[in-house]
Amino acid sequence: MDELFTYYLQELDHYQPDALIHHLDHDTWSISQMYDHLIVVSHEYLDEVESCQFAPMTTSGKSPFGEVLFAAGAFPATPIRLPDAMNAPPDETARVDRLRKRWLELTDRHAALAMVAQSTASDQKTHHGGMGWLNAAEWYALVMYHLAHHRHQKRRLDAALANRP
């Protein structure tokens, strides 16, 4: 299991139900919502890994943002605010066991698609709205970039939880 998947799974053991759904303010996600976002978006990226197997070949490339992101091998450390139409609040649960089950399902799916990501032709691509045309290996890498990016958010939320009255 990749270290980021292990990290997030082990971290679930540190939360009581009230901490999972605690909001610092009305604009900030809870820990539970952050986990839901990671799970949902990771599955969306893995759907694209699968779709690339059947995608037509294209010479279309990444957007300028996509080029920068993949050259760096990471999202920027700063928060990224999506347009409101794409930024609906994630689902929220106070149940660690529910998040753990969903996380393990994601982990298993990610591992199962490793060979697909590696073996699909690099010019079989699908389109990402912000990053341009990505192949299966790039979509697969995007999962890890996204998990690493949200580790910064998790640290901020954990620090705020530790300091709450």
Side-chain angles (χ1 to χ4, degrees):
M1 184 184 317
D2 184 277
E3 71 179 61
L4 278 171
F5 281 104
T6 302
Y7 165 76
Y8 280 105
L9 181 64
Q10 291 173 344
E11 288 292 302
L12 279 172
D13 292 331
H14 301 171
Y15 299 109
Q16 296 299 318
D18 66 315
L20 275 180
I21 59 172
H22 179 76
H23 291 264
L24 305 177
D25 56 54
H26 72 281
D27 287 331
T28 305
W29 288 346
S30 67
I31 290 287
S32 177
Q33 287 176 307
M34 184 201 68
Y35 270 88
D36 180 73
H37 169 76
L38 290 173
I39 293 165
V40 168
V41 171
S42 294
H43 278 299
E44 289 173 0
Y45 293 167
L46 293 175
D47 289 347
E48 295 299 327
V49 169
E50 292 179 321
S51 293
C52 284
Q53 297 174 92
F54 311 105
M57 297 195 181
T58 181
T59 57
S60 297
K62 296 175 195 71
S63 69
F65 177 73
E67 290 291 348
V68 169
L69 183 135
F70 280 93
F75 279 97
T78 56
I80 298 172
R81 173 98 176 138
L82 295 173
D84 287 342
M86 298 174 63
N87 204 28
D91 188 30
E92 184 170 68
T93 181
R95 294 182 44 210
V96 169
D97 60 330
R98 180 169 176 254
L99 287 171
R100 183 177 288 108
K101 178 180 183 296
R102 292 176 63 213
W103 193 261
L104 288 170
E105 289 168 353
L106 171 63
T107 302
D108 290 347
R109 184 175 183 215
H110 184 262
L113 288 174
M115 285 304 297
V116 171
Q118 293 171 6
S119 64
T120 302
S122 63
D123 54 359
Q124 287 180 268
K125 303 175 185 179
T126 60
H127 190 259
H128 181 286
M131 290 179 232
W133 290 89
L134 306 178
N135 63 38
E138 291 163 336
W139 281 108
Y140 193 80
L142 203 54
V143 172
M144 302 315 293
Y145 297 171
H146 189 236
L147 295 181
H149 172 71
H150 278 279
R151 195 169 38 191
H152 301 292
Q153 176 188 20
K154 184 182 172 317
R155 288 180 184 138
R156 287 191 304 274
L157 292 172
D158 286 344
L161 281 171
N163 293 321
R164 70 182 173 149

